[in-house]
Amino acid sequence: MRQILRQDLLREIRNSFMRFISIAALIALGTSFFVGLKSAAPNILTTGSQYLEKYQFYDMRLVSTSGLTEEQVEEIQELDHVEKSTLKKVVHQVMEPSGLIAEVDTYEKGQYEISSGRAPKKANEILLDEKAGQYFKLGDSVRFKSSKAAEEDYFKEAEFKVVGFANSYRYLSKDARGNTSIGNGELNLFAAVVSSAFAIEGYNVLDIQLTESIRENDPFGERYPKKLEEMKKAVQQTRDEQQEEMNRSFEEELSKNEKELEGKIQETKDLRIQLDDQVEQYHLMTSQIAEGALPVQMETPQHSDSGIEELTNQQAKAAETTSTLEKELEALTDMRESYKEPTYELRGIDQTVTFSSFKENIESLDALGNILPIIFYFVACFITVSIITRMIEQERKQIGTLKALGVKSNLIIRKYMMYSLLSGSFGLILGILGGVFLFPSLLIGLYSPLYIFAGYKLIIYWPLLWLAGGASLLSIIFIPYLFYRQTLISPAIQLMRSKPPIKGKKILIERFPFIWERCSFSTKMGLRNIFRYKLRMLLLFTGIVGCMVLLVTGYGARNVVSQLQESQFDKVLNYDMVTVFHTNAEDAELKSYHELMKNKNLSTLETNQENWEATLKNGRNLQINMVVPLSENPENRLDQYIQLLDSSSKHPMRLGRKDVFITKKLAQMLDVEVNDQLKIKNSENEKISVTITRVVDNYYRHYVYLGTDIYKEQISKEISSNMELVKYEHLTKKDKEEMLETKALASLTTKAQMIEKMEEMTKQLNRLIIVVIAAAVILGLVVIYNLAYINILERKQELSIVYAMGYRPIGQTFHIFREMIILGIFSLFTGYYLGFPVYRLIMKQLELEFIKFPEPTQSTIFLQSASTLLLTFSILIVVMHYRIKQLDTLGDLKDRE
């Protein structure tokens, strides 16, 4: 009997192969989305962790304005869990003639991923950021120009030879390099030279590496940041004590010197008094001798003319010494008043430029794995219930006969469970293959243009596979079993009889005669069938709603991604180019540049742009571009170059001298609004707090637009331009070359270059969107096909009667699909309104920290989603029409009894 049942199972699979594949397809989609989305984030983060470990990352970096001594380093080295600490020299310098600002670090072997060339070995060799490859090539010469006093010299050599290009674990992003206190505040790239290349004395940076007990934890995990924070507190406490000791030593040394000077001043004053007395005695004696009161013999050598001359000289020297000592004492007083307590900054590896943003951006992928797979598993469950229930209804007599012959119910049930299990297993295998290899590759491709990792390792996470297998079994075996087990345990005699037809009942709309009476006969039949086949119609409703939700999500994402470029570069940014001045550009060079721009009839707006930081609630620093327009001409304003639209009213705004505008995404991330205080700091940890007067739209990066009066009050009374916004109708390549030839200009960036950069970033996202749309179409095909196929099988007699009544094949087709079309239209609108919350949730997860997606065009999304679904529906109607034409209408008219 077991052999017979196995053969029957194989026959059933062969005869209903499309249904078999349908279940497999849904499980494959659900599994691939779940495994792919849930494993992509760990794969990328693991790649990041392995990269940090490979290049021997330091856990903390201490930067001190007062320098660091060997004794201070020893104190830190003695702390628990500190494995290694390395003193370094790090300076920020302006490169000539490019005007790029570089962080020049001390080269340490094993800390850099050298992509081309080699490491520096001599004092005149330099290793550059791989990003610098667009400006330099191997063998080029690089010069640095100090942005501070001209007499300061940071390096022994005036010129360096480029010997290699590299990436650094301190900069995981391919673009962002952080802030600096020189130039426009933006650090462009990093560089490394050997320690002997520096001319400056002492060290200003200490890199700290912790013990293996802490480093064995994943840097992107949960335990490592907690351990790192504990160690940071310990290092901070030690450094605070060192700072207090330095302050105390300074005060003690100053007080000691003051006392010594005061003592010397008092001694010179006493000496001057003695000398004054001696001179007075001489004059008194001389007058008495002249008057004859004293004999001439009373005059001593010291009271002679030569003696008085010596006393006078001593008086002058004593006065001069007193003046000098008083000036030295006054200098010590000034030193006390002008003394600034030494400051330091301690940053963990998790506070480097892109560490936290990298982690948060990648983890957002994981959240998607909690949303999309649920739709597929839910629909797979309904499809399986419908298919197995239909199979059982078709084989009622066979089941009843088997039970009458003594076959146990569990053997009969096994057939249907094996059908589900084989179909689900096939889908599970396909889904695992897609989830392990296809989806992670797509998602990794989405982020690879942003980060420096050359290759990503695909790691199989077995717990995810077990979880996907469990969800699949739950969807296609256990839950469906609850629906059909009642039928299988019924008595044999009951199963051998045909199932009685469902008792007719009035539907809700029949209770409203003014509506019901106006419906045609066909419409009434369609509405009754919807309520007659509740489970089947619920399946159709659920499937189409799920399909519509996915389509709304896919087309919504596609809509906002395509709008992103237009919204930012056509609506917000009205300028065509940005020019950047050299940090130390001279007045004559700037004048020559402005004359060139005037001769070419270009509209320009001088601005001061600086990089600042804001601290989020989680402690992470967010990079901000501060823009201060410098034009006093009311006909040449910032809003003519950058459209400042109020984020609420969408009305254009004008930046006043006392205004502070911030962009919407920045306001959301900092959880601030109009009239709140915006607290930001620069690279030197100087902090300001300003009142927000307006929140404006912007879609790429974070900006603060500051009025000139606010800048002068809060930051500096002196303000100069370092960048210029340019508008033009037409500019040739030759014109740009002429502009770059001016000594004042460091670089220029056109709007086309900015657009190209954004397109590279969004290209990968479009691939993911296409996958979501394709999955939605497959979901729609599977649901509608299965429902239509079951509908045809169950209503063969009805179709034969309709055929006998004179209906043509097309009429038969629409007779079957009428209620599906009615319910499908209702499902379209329901899925559309349910899809938008899901869409917003998913887009919130996909939105990178420096991007704000624009609001979607809802009518376009609805039309695209509905059209796709209707096209899918139409294709299936055509396919099913040919199936209906192939039916044996005369044979189906026979009584099934």
Side-chain angles (χ1 to χ4, degrees):
M1 184 56 69
R2 294 174 185 270
Q3 181 65 28
I4 294 172
L5 289 176
R6 279 195 290 268
Q7 291 175 356
D8 189 44
L9 171 62
L10 294 174
R11 190 182 302 112
E12 188 65 46
I13 293 173
R14 188 167 56 251
N15 293 337
S16 60
F17 187 70
M18 291 304 297
R19 286 184 288 178
F20 183 86
I21 291 297
S22 298
I23 297 175
L26 287 173
I27 294 299
L29 286 171
T31 303
S32 58
F33 267 85
F34 175 73
V35 174
L37 292 172
K38 298 293 282 186
S39 63
N43 269 315
I44 300 174
L45 291 176
T46 300
T47 301
S49 300
Q50 291 174 348
Y51 186 90
L52 294 177
E53 185 178 353
K54 180 179 179 180
Y55 294 102
Q56 305 168 26
F57 74 99
Y58 281 97
D59 301 272
M60 290 181 278
R61 169 165 279 195
L62 175 65
V63 182
S64 175
T65 57
S66 58
L68 292 148
T69 64
E70 295 285 353
E71 293 77 12
Q72 292 172 342
V73 174
E74 287 178 6
E75 289 180 18
I76 294 173
Q77 182 67 52
E78 291 172 0
L79 292 173
D80 292 338
H81 302 297
V82 173
E83 179 70 24
K84 176 184 175 184
S85 45
T86 306
L87 282 167
K88 291 183 178 179
K89 301 173 185 179
V90 180
V91 296
H92 289 187
Q93 289 281 275
V94 181
M95 305 178 79
E96 291 187 330
S98 63
L100 299 170
I101 302 173
E103 179 183 77
V104 187
D105 205 335
T106 304
Y107 176 78
E108 184 178 353
K109 187 177 180 181
Q111 293 276 297
Y112 297 90
E113 179 193 17
I114 299 177
S115 55
S116 60
R118 59 174 176 82
K121 297 177 181 178
K122 301 176 183 178
N124 66 339
E125 294 179 341
I126 190 168
L127 180 71
L128 288 182
D129 189 344
E130 188 178 43
K131 178 184 174 184
Q134 57 187 306
Y135 308 105
F136 306 96
K137 61 181 183 294
L138 292 174
D140 282 357
S141 295
V142 172
R143 296 177 63 89
F144 290 105
K145 182 178 181 180
S146 172
S147 64
K148 299 185 179 180
E151 65 272 9
E152 290 187 18
D153 191 5
Y154 289 107
F155 304 106
K156 294 176 182 177
E157 302 290 336
E159 195 170 86
F160 291 90
K161 179 183 178 183
V162 178
V163 296
F165 295 96
N167 290 312
S168 169
Y169 68 83
R170 295 186 59 79
Y171 304 98
L172 299 180
S173 169
K174 286 185 178 179
D175 185 48
R177 293 295 178 262
N179 298 339
T180 179
S181 59
I182 62 177
N184 65 350
E186 181 180 3
L187 194 64
N188 302 116
L189 46 91
F190 67 83
V193 296
V194 293
S195 182
S196 59
F198 289 95
I200 54 177
E201 297 294 330
Y203 300 91
N204 62 339
V205 168
L206 179 68
D207 279 342
I208 302 169
Q209 198 172 79
L210 303 179
T211 57
E212 192 60 31
S213 61
I214 294 178
R215 291 167 65 85
E216 67 184 7
N217 298 301
D218 183 2
F220 299 103
E222 295 182 359
R223 294 185 62 189
Y224 177 82
K226 295 177 182 177
K227 296 283 186 182
L228 182 62
E229 191 62 33
E230 292 174 5
M231 285 307 303
K232 281 171 63 179
K233 289 179 181 178
V235 174
Q236 283 174 340
Q237 183 178 351
T238 302
R239 187 58 186 170
D240 287 341
E241 292 172 357
Q242 292 175 351
Q243 301 270 77
E244 290 175 8
E245 179 61 30
M246 292 166 67
N247 293 334
R248 189 165 50 251
S249 297
F250 173 81
E251 181 61 34
E252 289 175 356
E253 186 68 22
L254 199 65
S255 298
K256 179 183 176 182
N257 292 338
E258 283 178 336
K259 287 180 180 180
E260 289 179 358
L261 285 173
E262 287 172 354
K264 289 179 180 179
I265 290 171
Q266 188 59 46
E267 289 177 3
T268 54
K269 284 182 177 179
D270 293 343
L271 177 61
R272 288 179 65 186
I273 291 171
Q274 292 176 8
L275 292 172
D276 289 344
D277 290 342
Q278 290 180 17
V279 171
E280 188 178 349
Q281 288 177 8
Y282 169 77
H283 288 302
L284 179 62
M285 185 178 292
T286 302
S287 63
Q288 289 178 346
I289 291 172
E291 292 173 359
L294 289 175
V296 177
Q297 292 80 3
M298 291 294 294
E299 184 176 2
T300 61
Q302 68 184 46
H303 293 133
S304 63
D305 290 341
S306 61
I308 195 63
E309 184 178 350
E310 183 179 350
L311 287 173
T312 304
N313 290 336
Q314 289 180 5
Q315 273 186 316
K317 288 181 179 178
E320 184 180 350
T321 302
T322 302
S323 176
T324 301
L325 291 173
E326 286 177 345
K327 286 180 180 178
E328 289 182 7
L329 183 62
E330 186 178 345
L332 289 178
T333 304
D334 292 341
M335 188 183 295
R336 174 181 278 108
E337 291 175 355
S338 62
Y339 173 71
K340 290 184 179 181
E341 292 188 2
T343 59
Y344 71 93
E345 184 178 20
L346 179 65
R347 284 195 175 190
I349 185 69
D350 58 340
Q351 292 175 294
T352 51
V353 180
T354 52
F355 184 98
S356 296
S357 61
F358 167 73
K359 180 182 177 182
E360 290 183 8
N361 289 339
I362 301 306
E363 285 181 342
S364 66
L365 288 175
D366 188 68
L368 293 180
N370 299 329
I371 303 170
L372 296 179
I374 294 174
I375 298 174
F376 292 103
Y377 284 129
F378 187 68
V379 176
C381 177
F382 267 85
I383 283 282
T384 308
V385 168
S386 179
I387 289 175
I388 301 300
T389 303
R390 173 57 195 161
M391 284 171 59
I392 291 171
E393 291 301 323
Q394 281 182 309
E395 300 175 0
R396 283 175 63 89
K397 286 185 179 180
Q398 180 180 325
I399 295 170
T401 303
L402 289 172
K403 294 191 75 173
L405 292 172
V407 180
K408 294 182 180 179
S409 296
N410 61 347
L411 286 176
I412 300 171
I413 292 174
R414 190 179 300 172
K415 169 191 170 181
Y416 303 103
M417 295 187 73
M418 284 301 297
Y419 185 95
S420 303
L421 182 62
L422 290 173
S423 178
S425 300
F426 179 61
L428 183 63
I429 292 170
L430 291 178
I432 288 173
L433 291 174
V436 170
F437 299 106
L438 176 62
F439 270 82
S441 299
L442 283 172
L443 295 170
I444 287 170
L446 174 64
Y447 286 92
S448 59
L450 304 178
Y451 300 107
I452 61 175
F453 312 121
Y456 294 82
K457 293 184 179 179
L458 294 178
I459 302 169
I460 298 175
Y461 292 89
W462 293 103
L464 288 177
L465 304 189
W466 288 113
L467 196 59
S472 301
L473 290 175
L474 187 68
S475 301
I476 61 174
I477 294 180
F478 296 113
I479 294 179
Y481 172 72
L482 299 177
F483 283 85
Y484 60 70
R485 69 185 179 90
Q486 190 61 43
T487 302
L488 293 174
I489 62 175
S490 300
I493 188 66
Q494 185 177 334
L495 291 171
M496 293 175 72
R497 293 174 181 168
S498 297
K499 192 175 181 179
I502 300 171
K503 184 180 178 181
K505 293 181 181 179
K506 275 191 176 183
I507 61 174
L508 180 63
I509 198 171
E510 286 188 66
R511 303 183 186 278
F512 300 95
F514 60 93
I515 298 176
W516 183 253
E517 290 173 1
R518 286 172 172 77
C519 294
S520 66
F521 173 77
S522 299
T523 304
K524 290 177 181 178
M525 184 179 294
L527 290 171
R528 281 203 178 102
N529 283 336
I530 289 174
F531 290 92
R532 181 183 179 190
Y533 305 108
K534 294 183 180 64
L535 180 62
R536 194 184 309 150
M537 294 300 111
L538 179 61
L539 172 62
L540 175 68
F541 176 78
T542 305
I544 294 180
V545 166
C547 180
M548 194 65 180
V549 166
L550 289 176
L551 286 171
V552 167
T553 301
Y555 281 115
R558 185 182 177 189
N559 183 269
V560 296
V561 169
S562 62
Q563 280 191 64
L564 185 60
Q565 177 183 317
E566 179 186 350
S567 299
Q568 181 67 15
F569 295 107
D570 294 341
K571 295 180 180 178
V572 175
L573 303 184
N574 295 327
Y575 59 81
D576 300 293
M577 183 169 62
V578 178
T579 58
V580 182
F581 300 141
H582 275 293
T583 304
N584 297 318
E586 298 178 359
D587 292 341
E589 295 171 344
L590 289 170
K591 184 178 179 182
S592 174
Y593 163 79
H594 288 306
E595 287 178 356
L596 176 65
M597 301 297 277
K598 187 176 180 181
N599 293 337
K600 294 186 179 297
N601 295 320
L602 302 179
S603 301
T604 62
L605 176 69
E606 292 189 53
T607 63
N608 176 274
Q609 298 195 28
E610 301 176 5
N611 277 30
W612 288 66
E613 290 181 346
T615 304
L616 301 177
K617 290 182 179 179
N618 60 6
R620 185 166 62 84
N621 292 323
L622 189 68
Q623 291 193 40
I624 299 170
N625 297 321
M626 180 188 289
V627 180
V628 186
L630 303 183
S631 174
E632 299 292 338
N633 184 357
E635 296 182 359
N636 191 35
R637 305 181 307 272
L638 179 65
D639 55 282
Q640 294 174 333
Y641 295 82
I642 301 175
Q643 190 171 32
L644 304 172
L645 291 179
D646 185 276
S647 61
S648 299
S649 66
K650 303 302 177 184
H651 292 153
M653 295 292 125
R654 183 179 297 180
L655 183 73
R657 297 175 65 90
K658 293 183 179 294
D659 281 330
V660 178
F661 290 3
I662 72 170
T663 51
K664 188 173 181 179
K665 182 66 179 286
L666 176 60
Q668 291 175 343
M669 295 187 72
L670 296 176
D671 193 21
V672 293
E673 54 187 21
V674 175
N675 296 325
D676 286 347
Q677 289 294 307
L678 173 67
K679 298 178 181 179
I680 54 178
K681 62 180 180 180
N682 61 13
S683 60
E684 294 183 340
N685 212 29
E686 295 174 345
K687 301 177 181 178
I688 65 169
S689 179
V690 293
T691 303
I692 300 167
T693 57
R694 192 76 60 182
V695 177
V696 295
D697 284 339
N698 192 73
Y699 305 98
Y700 183 56
R701 294 188 174 178
H702 309 295
Y703 288 90
V704 173
Y705 302 104
L706 216 63
T708 50
D709 289 355
I710 297 292
Y711 184 92
K712 291 176 180 178
E713 289 172 11
Q714 293 279 350
I715 301 173
S716 173
K717 291 183 179 179
E718 295 183 2
I719 180 171
S720 58
S721 65
N722 56 13
M723 297 178 76
E724 200 167 60
L725 308 181
V726 183
K727 292 171 69 175
Y728 56 79
E729 292 294 331
H730 178 69
L731 198 68
T732 65
K733 184 179 180 181
K734 185 179 179 181
D735 292 332
K736 295 174 188 175
E737 290 174 353
E738 287 180 24
M739 293 166 64
L740 287 171
E741 286 174 1
T742 61
K743 294 182 179 180
L745 204 63
S747 65
L748 60 83
T749 306
T750 63
K751 186 185 286 189
Q753 290 172 314
M754 301 179 201
I755 292 172
E756 185 179 350
K757 187 176 181 180
M758 179 173 282
E759 285 177 344
E760 176 66 24
M761 183 180 59
T762 56
K763 182 171 64 177
Q764 302 296 333
L765 185 57
N766 279 322
R767 293 182 184 175
L768 181 61
I769 292 168
I770 291 170
V771 172
V772 172
I773 293 173
V777 171
I778 293 172
L779 177 66
L781 283 168
V782 169
V783 171
I784 299 170
Y785 172 82
N786 277 280
L787 190 61
Y789 187 70
I790 292 171
N791 220 2
I792 292 170
L793 290 177
E794 284 192 353
R795 300 169 67 183
K796 284 183 179 181
Q797 280 192 327
E798 188 177 330
L799 284 171
S800 299
I801 294 170
V802 169
Y803 176 76
M805 291 171 62
Y807 279 76
R808 294 190 175 275
I810 190 68
Q812 290 177 285
T813 301
F814 278 100
H815 178 79
I816 286 291
F817 277 94
R818 185 178 294 108
E819 58 266 23
M820 295 177 67
I821 293 172
I822 294 171
L823 192 61
I825 293 171
F826 177 70
S827 303
L828 279 179
F829 289 96
T830 306
Y832 173 72
Y833 287 108
L834 290 178
F836 258 91
V838 177
Y839 153 78
R840 294 188 187 281
L841 179 62
I842 289 176
M843 293 311 294
K844 186 178 179 181
Q845 302 296 332
L846 285 177
E847 197 172 70
L848 301 176
E849 70 166 23
F850 52 85
I851 285 179
K852 171 66 180 172
F853 285 126
E855 286 299 315
T857 308
Q858 296 193 16
S859 58
T860 303
I861 295 172
F862 174 75
L863 290 174
Q864 289 175 332
S865 303
S867 299
T868 303
L869 198 54
L870 290 174
L871 179 62
T872 305
F873 207 104
S874 300
I875 292 171
L876 281 171
I877 288 176
V878 173
V879 172
M880 289 301 170
H881 172 68
Y882 286 100
R883 282 229 170 197
I884 291 171
K885 286 176 68 175
Q886 294 171 2
L887 291 176
D888 181 10
T889 52
L890 293 176
D892 290 330
L893 277 171
K894 296 176 182 178
D895 185 8
R896 285 175 294 179
E897 292 290 342

